Each structure stands twice: as C-alpha cells, then as structure tokens.
Amino acid sequence: MNKLTLVAAALTMLSTVAFGQKSKVSSAENAYILGQIDQATADIEEALNNPKSQDLVKTNLVAARIFSKRAVDGKDDEGVVKGRKYLERAVEIDQTPDKKGKTGKEAKAIAKEYITYSANAANFGVNCFNNQNYNAAKIAFINVVWANSHAENYSEVNDSVFIYNAAIASMQAEDYETAAIYFDKCIDVDYDGPMSALRVNYCYEQTNASTEKKEANLKKGFEKYPENKDVLITLINYYINAQRNEDALVYLNEAIAKDSDNPQFYFARGCLYEKIDTKAAIDDYQTALAKKPDFFNALYNIAVVYYNQGVEVTTNASSERDQKKYDAMLKDANVLFEQALPYMEKASLHAENVEIKKQCLETIKSIYYRIGKYEKSQEVADQINSL
C-alpha cells in the first residue's frame, strides 16, 4: 500500500513539473494577447530554455509570434530572423514521427502562425523602409514572401506586392544580386510592368553579371512587353555595345516598324550601317534629319561620313603617279568635303557645349583649308580662338 502511494505521489509530481513548463508557454501567449510583450518574452524564454518544453511545437510557435512582434515594437531588430528560426523549428518537430509514426499533427496551428508571422514581418519591413534601414527591410520582406509561400494554394501573383517590396528594399540596400532575383520574379508575375526588366538590367550592370544573363533578361522583357520602347532601346544598345550589329539591326528594324516617326531609331540604325554600308547610313541620317532638322548627332555623323570619305580619297591620291588621275581624285575629294560642310556648320550651331562646338569648328576649318578657301579657314580659326 505504501509503495503504491509513493508511485502515485511521484507521478503527481512529474505531472506538475510538465504542467508547469507548459503553463509558461500559456502565460507567454496570454501576455502577448494583452500586449505585455516584455512579460511574454520572459515567459517564452524560460520555456525555450527548459528541456521539457523547448522541443514542443507550441513553444516554438509562440516564440515565433513573440519575437516577430518584438521587431515591430522596435525591441529587437533581429526579431524577424529569430521568429523564422522558431517557426522552422516547429515545423521540424512536427515532421518528426511520433511513437506511432505520425507526423503533421500541428499543421493547422503552424499554418495560422505563418500568417501571424507574415503580418509582423511585413509591418517591421515597412517601418524599416520608411526609416531608410533598407537592409533590415530587405530581410523582413524576403521573410514575408517565405512565410506566404507556405500558404495553401500559394501563388506568386497574389504575393506580387511583397515580392516587389523585397526587390526595391534589396536595391536600396545595394544588394543588387538579391534585387535582381526578386525583380525577375516581378517580371514573371507582371508587376510594375517593363520597369522590372529595366531594373534587373540595372542590377546586372552593378554586379557585372554575365552577358548571357543580361541578354536573357532583356529578351525576356521585350517578349513580355513588346510595345515598350525603353526595353527595346535598352536591348538594342546592349547589342550595339556588344558589337553584335546583326542582332541590333533585327531589333532596330522592329523598332522602326513600331514607331516610324522616331528619329532616334533611324540614327541608331545609321550608326550600325556606317560599318557595312555608308550609303544606307547616310540615308538613315537623312531620314532622321527630315523628322528632326536640329538633331545634332545626325548632323554631325553625316558630316563625318562625308569628311572621312574625302580624307580617304585624298590619301589614295597621294600615291597616284598619273597627274590626270591625281587631279580627278582631288576633285572627287573636294566634292565630298563640300558635302560635309553644311552639315558640320549646322551641327556647330546645335552643339551642347563649348568643347563640342570647338570640335565642330576645327573640322570646318580643316574642310575650308582642304578645298583651298584659306581666308574662310582663317575666319573659323579666329572664331575658335574667341570662344
């Protein structure tokens, strides 16, 4: 009889200890509900430090809730990170088979806690972003997306705002690699339109990403937003800078087909044609000028084409031994110089600064000298000296 009493007493004592630890979790939860976040923290930390309660799903779920709320309240900048750790621990415990081999018994409670955690992380992220603490905001919004991704029937389309927030905060924090990842997701969910593709391109520029990644992004942006001129122009410039003229021409022709009144497109195509067909280049520059008569770049380039052709003919003439052929070649060169002259003169009138204007005038001076108008050449020299 005495032995039975002792065993019963021992069982009662053990039950009291276990209940005591669970009550700390309950008191932490109640304190959280009452807004007593410091008391909630003290209670949950005690439960987390006790071997009898630290590996309970409920303990870790309540800890996730409390620590993420501490972040919102400005009590712990690491609260969102800690909260995720406890949420992940709760899932790990729940997925560990019990004595009967069962798992996932707390799935509903965990699902609810993801929602609470997401809300706390989102509020913390907004606070940090508004206070220009962009790195903390980045971490917060990335964790919002992480938490939301565990929702049943999750769709990135429905989560587009927080994906975008993660991208913007990452870019502001100058974490361009992360920003590119989330802006790329924005393209997929069609959020923020073509700006997302352009921002990915900007991030790739900052990180010296591979040419393959840059091209793939711009082509993806163009395919997604074929009517957007900024994406198209950026793609064209990419090919031009990469000296892939044939690819650039394909997209330039498409750009011209979409907007035949844009002088910039004709100018860009003229630049490409200069290397393969100067007549075609001049035709495109002329078309650009027909649409915008004061277009400096087109004026300057067409003058340079004629001028360089004149210089080439003059150089070839210098090795000619036949006087008649020599004279004929110089005459041809002068025609080219005279063709260049009016375009360069007009370009000088529309130069954006003094240095560029001087550059134009130096070419004009050289033209006059080459065609034998020495007085005019001196006049231009005087004009240059007066600037």
Side-chain angles (χ1 to χ4, degrees):
M1 196 69 176
N2 288 337
K3 288 183 179 179
L4 289 173
T5 302
L6 288 172
V7 171
L11 289 173
T12 301
M13 182 179 68
L14 290 172
S15 297
T16 302
V17 172
F19 177 78
Q21 300 311 318
K22 290 182 179 179
S23 69
K24 282 296 179 183
V25 178
S26 297
S27 62
E29 189 171 30
N30 290 334
Y32 175 91
I33 293 170
L34 294 173
Q36 299 170 353
I37 197 69
D38 290 334
Q39 183 60 51
T41 304
D43 289 339
I44 201 62
E45 285 182 339
E46 186 173 339
L48 287 168
N49 289 323
N50 192 294
K52 295 184 180 295
S53 55
Q54 63 187 197
D55 291 329
L56 298 175
V57 170
K58 181 66 177 288
T59 302
N60 285 276
L61 290 181
V62 173
R65 192 184 319 161
I66 291 171
F67 280 102
S68 59
K69 183 63 166 62
R70 283 178 63 81
V72 179
D73 292 350
K75 294 177 178 291
D76 189 349
D77 286 346
E78 297 297 317
V80 166
V81 174
K82 293 175 183 177
R84 174 169 174 167
K85 179 187 74 172
Y86 289 119
L87 247 179
E88 290 177 325
R89 177 61 181 147
V91 173
E92 180 185 356
I93 296 167
D94 193 48
Q95 291 303 310
T96 301
D98 61 14
K99 292 180 180 179
K100 295 181 180 180
K102 294 184 178 180
T103 62
K105 292 191 294 184
E106 302 290 341
K108 289 185 178 179
I110 291 171
K112 290 181 180 179
E113 210 57 56
Y114 275 125
I115 295 172
T116 301
Y117 173 84
S118 173
N120 285 338
N123 288 332
F124 178 64
V126 170
N127 292 342
C128 290
F129 193 90
N130 289 339
N131 290 323
Q132 298 182 0
N133 186 354
Y134 298 120
N135 191 61
K138 172 195 74 173
I139 293 170
F141 290 130
I142 287 173
N143 280 298
V144 172
V145 175
W146 167 80
N148 291 348
S149 70
H150 291 83
E152 188 176 358
N153 299 320
Y154 173 75
S155 167
E156 285 189 338
V157 172
N158 296 332
D159 206 23
S160 55
V161 171
F162 288 111
I163 291 172
Y164 174 77
N165 286 352
I168 286 292
S170 297
M171 187 166 72
Q172 291 293 93
E174 298 184 1
D175 181 356
Y176 297 111
E177 289 186 2
T178 301
I181 292 170
Y182 283 91
F183 279 128
D184 187 60
K185 289 179 181 290
C186 287
I187 300 173
D188 293 334
V189 300
D190 197 19
Y191 192 87
D192 199 35
M195 281 303 301
S196 292
L198 294 172
R199 286 184 172 126
V200 171
N201 183 66
Y202 173 78
C203 291
Y204 282 164
E205 291 289 344
Q206 302 309 305
T207 58
N208 295 316
S210 68
T211 56
E212 291 80 9
K213 290 179 72 172
K214 292 177 183 177
E215 179 181 8
N217 166 65
L218 291 172
K219 290 181 73 173
K220 179 179 180 180
F222 176 72
E223 290 166 5
K224 186 85 171 181
Y225 309 105
E227 300 302 320
N228 185 267
K229 294 177 185 176
D230 292 330
V231 173
L232 179 56
I233 291 170
T234 304
L235 178 58
I236 291 167
N237 285 335
Y238 165 78
Y239 284 127
I240 291 174
N241 292 334
Q243 296 184 341
R244 292 171 57 180
N245 296 339
E246 291 184 5
D247 290 318
L249 279 172
V250 170
Y251 287 99
L252 266 173
N253 289 334
E254 187 159 349
I256 290 170
K258 292 177 184 297
D259 185 3
S260 60
D261 290 327
N262 191 324
Q264 292 284 354
F265 293 155
Y266 294 100
F267 171 75
R269 192 169 69 178
C271 291
L272 293 178
Y273 276 141
E274 272 197 45
K275 301 175 182 179
I276 54 179
D277 186 346
T278 54
K279 183 181 183 306
I282 290 171
D283 288 342
D284 271 339
Y285 292 146
Q286 293 282 18
T287 303
L289 290 172
K291 298 178 182 303
K292 186 181 179 183
D294 61 348
F295 191 170
F296 172 83
N297 288 336
L299 289 165
Y300 184 85
N301 278 25
I302 197 170
V304 169
V305 170
Y306 283 129
Y307 181 83
N308 288 342
Q309 287 178 339
V311 171
E312 184 179 1
V313 173
T314 301
T315 301
N316 292 336
S318 64
S319 60
E320 180 58 57
R321 296 291 179 260
D322 186 299
Q323 187 64 40
K324 288 185 178 181
K325 290 182 179 180
Y326 173 79
D327 292 340
M329 292 175 74
L330 287 185
K331 185 176 180 181
D332 290 340
N334 286 348
V335 169
L336 291 166
F337 289 134
E338 288 174 351
Q339 285 179 298
L341 187 59
Y343 293 104
M344 191 59 76
E345 287 179 329
K346 191 169 183 180
S348 71
L349 299 176
H350 298 287
E352 62 181 20
N353 58 53
V354 173
E355 290 306 313
I356 293 176
K357 186 179 183 69
K358 284 183 177 180
Q359 186 175 333
C360 293
L361 292 174
E362 287 287 354
T363 305
I364 294 169
K365 181 184 74 171
S366 175
I367 290 173
Y368 278 129
Y369 188 85
R370 286 176 178 276
I371 63 177
K373 295 185 177 181
Y374 304 117
E375 290 184 4
K376 293 290 293 183
S377 180
Q378 185 58 50
E379 288 177 10
V380 177
D382 293 341
Q383 185 179 351
I384 294 171
N385 292 332
S386 69
L387 293 177

